[in-house]
Amino acid sequence: MSNPVRGDGERDGGVGSSDPGRTAGRAEDAAPGEVLLKVTGLRKHFPIRKGLLQRRAGAVRAVDGVDFEVRSGETLGVVGESGCGKSTMGRLITRLLEPTAGTIEFEGEDITRLGVRGMRPLRRDVQMIFQDPYSSLNPRHTTGTIIGAPFRLQGVEPEGGIKKEVQRLLSVVGLSPEHYNRYPNEFSGGQRQRIGIARALALRPKLVVADEPVSALDVSIQAQVVNLMDDLQRELGLTYVIIAHDLSVVRHVSDRIAVMYLGRIVELADRELLYRAPMHPYTKALMSAVPIPDPRRRKDRSERVRLEGDVPSPIAPPSGCRFHTRCWKATTVCTTAEPPLEELRPGQQVACHHPENAVDRAPRDSGVAGTAQVVPTRR
Amino acid sequence: MTIPDTSTAVSERPAGASTAPRPFLDVRDLRVHFPTDDGLVKSVDGLSFQLEKGRTLGIVGESGSGKSVTSLGIMGLHTTGQYGRRKARISGEIWLDGTELLSAGPEHVRGLRGRRMAMIFQDPLSALHPYYTIGRQIVEAYRIHHDVDRKTARKRAVEMLDRVGIPQPDKRVDAYPHEFSGGMRQRAMIAMSLVNNPELLIADEPTTALDVTVQAQILDLVLDLQKEFGSAVIVITHDLGVVAELADDILVMYAGRCVERGPAERVFHEPRHPYTWGLLGSMPRLDREQRDRLVPVDGSPPSLINLPSGCAFNPRCPYADVPKDDVTRTIRPEPTEVGDRHWAACHLTREQRERIWTEEIAPRL
């Protein structure tokens, strides 16, 4: 199928004149499978200020040392519960937030310290889809203005003019070109999310970071948007980082999945490995907490893992392994030493002293530290 | 503060009604319409269902399908008075243990609400009062219906907090809602709604605002409590996983109407309405092999002001043209029995639906 968004030769032609630096970079697109984005030791601490002098009283360690790579053409899913830092992470890699420490490399170039001006050419390549289709669209702008904004901001004149290009984008995302002059309030949630997607795709980015792209939508609409994102990825060779709390959606869309807990990645693995044989106890607990939409299987779930309590505060995360306060396998070593994220099986990185489905890494350690337990269902 | 017994003043079961005992909760042809500047919004338009004590009914549907409006209608929480700005027009019958609620008058319903029927709301942060301690709010709920002193009521509140799994309940009873985490707040709200041992408990999206590990805790709690108290429970949710875990029976709503109702097992394994098929096909699930593509329902839910004529689902239904003479666009289908205690409102014949389900839909799921 011919590529619906990419106009003929527009990228290397008319655009280059407005910013010469870009054309060179554009020429060497990362081949599929090559590392597009590399994140090392990324941290974001939000200071908490108190008192008259706004003294620094501590920090919310939203993202506290994560390393990962995103390869060209793949979808990396990021899951975790609220407060685990997944959204902050998404905003860091799109440079909407300033990292406290660590580096972000995009196509081999360190973009961590680029200023607003330095980032501008990169904004074409890295785009974001937001969770809430109601607050992410300006209610006083028409669809045409909203989707056309990236062209105006970047000084790009698409072939045939902005209006024509916007109308084409509208039809690409399944809306009618006649919607050009309508306002966001005239659309339903699902249609608004399509407008957000059209805006993100307008400049043909390489990397799209989608933060909970479907969680505000109804089930039947959710599936439409998931399929649309899937089709667009195939047709445009997009790379996605999809952040979501819904494990079933993440499994459906991702090639690899990172599980986050309190600002750290606890497991990063290929989709099938992660869902067939999760190694981190938290991953296992997270998956067994998902309700199964099948009444017949109520009885089967006798080996359900139930975590006790809530996620601890990211202001003062637990010592050692951050999960040890809720983990049923925790021993003394877990309270003191933070396990590194290591590849225990090809394609599966885990940060745990006592992984599931693998050889124990601290076998002689004893003393139960956790409170959680495996409880049989009471039915 | 006792509630005067007004039950004698309220119409009992009408003479001439069938002699079979009426179910504990019997909703008949419930309609809730809201007049607006743009027209009449028919949020619920002819809904009937029954529920016995000790059983759980799951009401599923997308936003705007009328799930919450139904629950507020049962609880008597719609503004029908003259002064309400957006007063609801409610008709039909709601029988709770032999008493018809819609004609009973607000005073009578107030005596039932909180005592015989209670509700758990979606967002505990906005349902709990931020200015009063958790304990005070539970004590208030208890003392409205029971003539006891504060001390006894407080003891009862601590007991309830303990029952719903709040650690150190004797201390936490004096905490304010903002000092609780989301899961704890939801537990506190459950404690408040159960303090009077209600016979009917309505949970409107009880876990939607919660994380998945906390959701699992709350679902377990609701199941345990139901066993213990033997109440009738209505769980309203958009999450098919949640109803599959909790419900004995399932009612699928679309555009203010019931499109399918039946035992949970049948609705999941032998659904007989194209909309239910659509919901099942839209949903990625962890318990199955990875599917290549989801099968969404095309289009979007209709406007409740201008419902499509005939079957409200016809513009989105892939099988709308199968029945002859355009009946799907002219005649509104009534729920017909398609199995034991299983109804669906669709113009397709039973045989057509059985064939489409087994040959086309089920293999794709």
Side-chain angles (χ1 to χ4, degrees):
Chain A
M1 188 175 170
S2 71
N3 191 325
V5 166
R6 204 169 289 234
D8 294 54
E10 184 248 290
R11 198 166 241 185
D12 349 65
V15 189
S17 53
S18 59
D19 60 50
R22 284 230 46 80
T23 342
R26 285 275 176 182
E28 27 185 301
D29 275 7
E34 274 180 36
V35 175
L36 184 68
L37 181 81
K38 186 172 157 73
V39 170
T40 325
L42 193 63
R43 271 168 223 274
K44 177 69 189 178
H45 294 183
F46 294 98
I48 305 167
R49 298 192 187 279
K50 270 196 181 148
L52 192 64
L53 299 174
Q54 292 292 291
R55 209 165 32 81
R56 198 181 149 127
V60 177
R61 300 153 151 229
V63 173
D64 207 14
V66 302
D67 306 271
F68 63 89
E69 292 172 354
V70 185
R71 298 170 202 144
S72 186
E74 77 166 350
T75 300
L76 176 75
V78 182
V79 274
E81 297 181 278
S82 42
C84 73
K86 54 190 193 303
S87 290
T88 303
M89 202 271 290
R91 282 165 190 257
L92 287 173
I93 57 181
T94 45
R95 292 292 317 278
L96 296 176
L97 283 173
E98 282 306 305
T100 310
T103 57
I104 306 161
E105 284 168 48
F106 185 76
E107 294 190 310
E109 184 195 353
D110 187 347
I111 62 164
T112 327
R113 302 289 160 205
L114 287 183
V116 175
R117 196 184 294 261
M119 271 306 288
R120 177 132 320 146
L122 237 112
R123 297 268 175 232
R124 289 189 58 186
D125 289 335
V126 183
Q127 285 287 327
M128 189 145 186
I129 299 171
F130 296 91
Q131 168 173 12
D132 182 359
Y134 289 83
S135 59
S136 59
L137 302 179
N138 188 333
R140 304 183 66 148
H141 286 178
T142 62
T143 316
T145 316
I146 291 168
I147 303 175
F151 297 111
R152 293 187 191 96
L153 290 171
Q154 291 281 346
V156 174
E157 183 64 33
E159 203 178 323
I162 292 177
K163 182 171 180 181
K164 201 177 151 211
E165 180 65 11
V166 169
Q167 289 180 328
R168 206 178 51 75
L169 283 163
L170 280 170
S171 57
V172 166
V173 297
L175 295 170
S176 155
E178 289 127 49
H179 291 151
Y180 184 83
N181 277 321
R182 298 223 192 143
Y183 288 90
N185 68 314
E186 297 172 64
F187 295 95
S188 66
Q191 289 174 316
R192 283 167 187 242
Q193 200 57 303
R194 288 170 190 271
I195 296 174
I197 293 174
R199 174 176 61 185
L201 295 181
L203 295 169
R204 295 169 217 153
K206 292 174 186 162
L207 176 67
V208 175
V209 178
D211 187 0
E212 301 274 11
V214 296
S215 65
L217 308 175
D218 273 318
V219 201
S220 70
I221 309 297
Q222 211 171 49
Q224 293 175 4
V225 173
V226 165
N227 281 351
L228 171 68
M229 289 181 63
D230 212 20
D231 292 342
L232 292 171
Q233 177 170 43
R234 219 166 289 165
E235 286 160 21
L236 309 181
L238 294 171
T239 308
Y240 285 136
V241 173
I242 296 185
I243 298 162
H245 69 281
D246 186 326
L247 279 99
S248 357
V249 169
V250 165
R251 177 178 115 165
H252 187 84
V253 298
S254 311
D255 300 308
R256 289 191 309 140
I257 294 162
V259 182
M260 285 186 76
Y261 187 76
L262 276 178
R264 306 272 301 183
I265 292 177
V266 296
E267 183 158 4
L268 175 60
D270 294 346
R271 174 181 67 203
E272 285 311 312
L273 288 173
L274 189 89
Y275 281 89
R276 288 239 171 82
M279 283 186 173
H280 200 285
Y282 179 63
T283 315
K284 187 177 174 183
L286 206 55
M287 285 199 297
S288 91
V290 176
I292 296 180
D294 184 351
R296 280 185 194 160
R297 296 202 37 195
R298 274 181 211 176
K299 303 167 216 82
D300 301 354
R301 302 186 70 196
S302 51
E303 274 293 287
R304 239 184 241 230
V305 183
R306 279 290 178 268
L307 293 182
E308 303 267 323
D310 299 293
V311 183
S313 157
I315 297 171
S319 61
C321 171
R322 281 157 202 236
F323 185 57
H324 84 255
T325 54
R326 299 173 84 196
C327 183
W328 64 98
K329 299 183 104 182
T331 57
T332 332
V333 66
C334 304
T335 62
T336 50
E338 181 150 17
L341 187 68
E342 282 177 342
E343 190 158 38
L344 297 189
R345 187 188 294 165
Q348 193 160 16
Q349 291 171 285
V350 190
C352 181
H353 293 298
H354 310 292
E356 299 272 318
N357 302 308
V359 183
D360 203 317
R361 315 193 65 222
R364 268 169 297 176
D365 197 59
S366 60
V368 178
T371 52
Q373 47 191 318
V374 179
V375 286
T377 40
R378 288 163 288 190
R379 248 165 245 168
Chain B
M1 269 208 283
T2 45
I3 297 301
D5 184 14
T6 49
S7 57
T8 44
V10 173
S11 62
E12 291 297 327
R13 195 185 306 159
S18 69
T19 47
R22 203 177 261 285
F24 178 67
L25 175 71
D26 190 2
V27 175
R28 296 188 167 248
D29 198 31
L30 179 69
R31 282 162 209 271
V32 185
H33 295 174
F34 298 93
T36 67
D37 293 344
D38 299 322
L40 194 62
V41 175
K42 298 178 176 174
S43 291
V44 177
D45 201 28
L47 185 69
S48 304
F49 63 89
Q50 292 82 36
L51 179 61
E52 293 293 354
K53 271 199 196 174
R55 295 193 59 89
T56 302
L57 173 74
I59 301 186
V60 243
E62 299 181 275
S63 31
S65 60
K67 325 182 281 290
S68 295
V69 172
T70 304
S71 66
L72 295 176
I74 296 171
M75 295 290 290
L77 290 172
H78 285 301
T79 319
T80 47
Q82 249 180 319
Y83 305 104
R85 212 173 67 76
R86 280 175 52 190
K87 45 186 176 175
R89 291 187 196 151
I90 307 182
S91 67
E93 294 168 25
I94 300 170
W95 292 85
L96 182 77
D97 201 15
T99 306
E100 208 285 300
L101 299 180
L102 289 181
S103 58
E107 284 304 315
H108 183 77
V109 176
R110 190 175 304 147
L112 298 175
R113 196 188 303 136
R115 186 168 55 99
R116 300 199 65 187
M117 53 185 190
M119 190 149 174
I120 303 171
F121 294 92
Q122 169 171 0
D123 179 5
L125 196 55
S126 56
L128 292 170
H129 199 299
Y131 192 74
Y132 299 110
T133 61
I134 297 283
R136 185 169 166 180
Q137 298 183 50
I138 300 178
V139 163
E140 185 191 358
Y142 191 61
R143 290 188 77 214
I144 281 178
H145 297 290
H146 292 85
D147 189 15
V148 295
D149 58 31
R150 279 179 201 283
K151 231 177 124 188
T152 321
R154 188 184 151 92
K155 242 181 84 192
R156 171 85 181 151
V158 174
E159 199 183 293
M160 285 312 297
L161 289 176
D162 188 34
R163 180 61 201 88
V164 298
I166 289 186
Q168 299 179 294
D170 48 331
K171 293 204 176 64
R172 306 292 283 195
V173 71
D174 294 318
Y176 289 90
H178 75 266
E179 298 175 89
F180 277 34
S181 69
M184 286 293 158
R185 274 184 218 127
Q186 196 57 290
R187 285 173 193 268
M189 196 155 66
I190 292 174
M192 197 197 310
S193 60
L194 293 180
V195 72
N196 294 307
N197 291 346
E199 294 152 283
L200 172 66
L201 180 66
I202 302 180
D204 188 355
E205 304 270 10
T207 58
T208 308
L210 305 176
D211 275 319
V212 59
T213 58
V214 180
Q215 163 170 291
Q217 296 167 5
I218 298 289
L219 293 183
D220 280 354
L221 177 66
V222 171
L223 277 170
D224 282 358
L225 292 171
Q226 179 183 30
K227 248 188 195 163
E228 195 177 320
F229 291 85
S231 346
V233 177
I234 299 179
V235 179
I236 292 170
T237 177
H238 66 281
D239 187 332
L240 289 164
V242 170
V243 285
E245 296 261 314
L246 291 182
D248 301 306
D249 296 292
I250 291 174
L251 189 157
V252 184
M253 283 189 82
Y254 186 77
R257 300 164 183 180
C258 164
V259 293
E260 181 158 5
R261 175 159 64 98
E265 161 104 21
R266 291 208 36 126
V267 173
F268 274 95
H269 290 282
E270 292 165 73
R272 288 291 177 263
H273 194 283
Y275 179 62
T276 318
W277 301 340
L279 285 182
L280 291 169
S282 301
M283 187 181 51
R285 41 202 292 183
L286 289 183
D287 59 328
R288 297 279 167 87
E289 284 296 304
Q290 174 87 17
R291 277 188 286 162
D292 222 25
R293 270 181 95 67
L294 300 173
V295 191
V297 186
D298 286 337
S300 43
S303 148
L304 295 172
I305 295 174
N306 279 316
L307 279 179
S309 60
C311 173
F313 187 56
N314 86 64
R316 303 177 76 190
C317 182
Y319 308 101
D321 293 319
V322 177
K324 278 182 201 140
D325 304 331
D326 226 19
V327 283
T328 48
R329 289 179 190 87
T330 49
I331 301 168
R332 172 173 166 178
E334 291 301 326
T336 50
E337 201 151 0
V338 289
D340 184 28
R341 299 191 305 112
H342 185 187
W343 294 265
C346 180
H347 284 302
L348 294 170
T349 64
R350 268 180 82 162
E351 292 71 33
Q352 282 169 334
R353 277 180 273 169
E354 268 162 42
R355 188 190 58 74
I356 294 172
W357 167 253
T358 42
E359 290 175 16
E360 295 178 30
I361 312 288
R364 283 196 317 215
L365 292 182

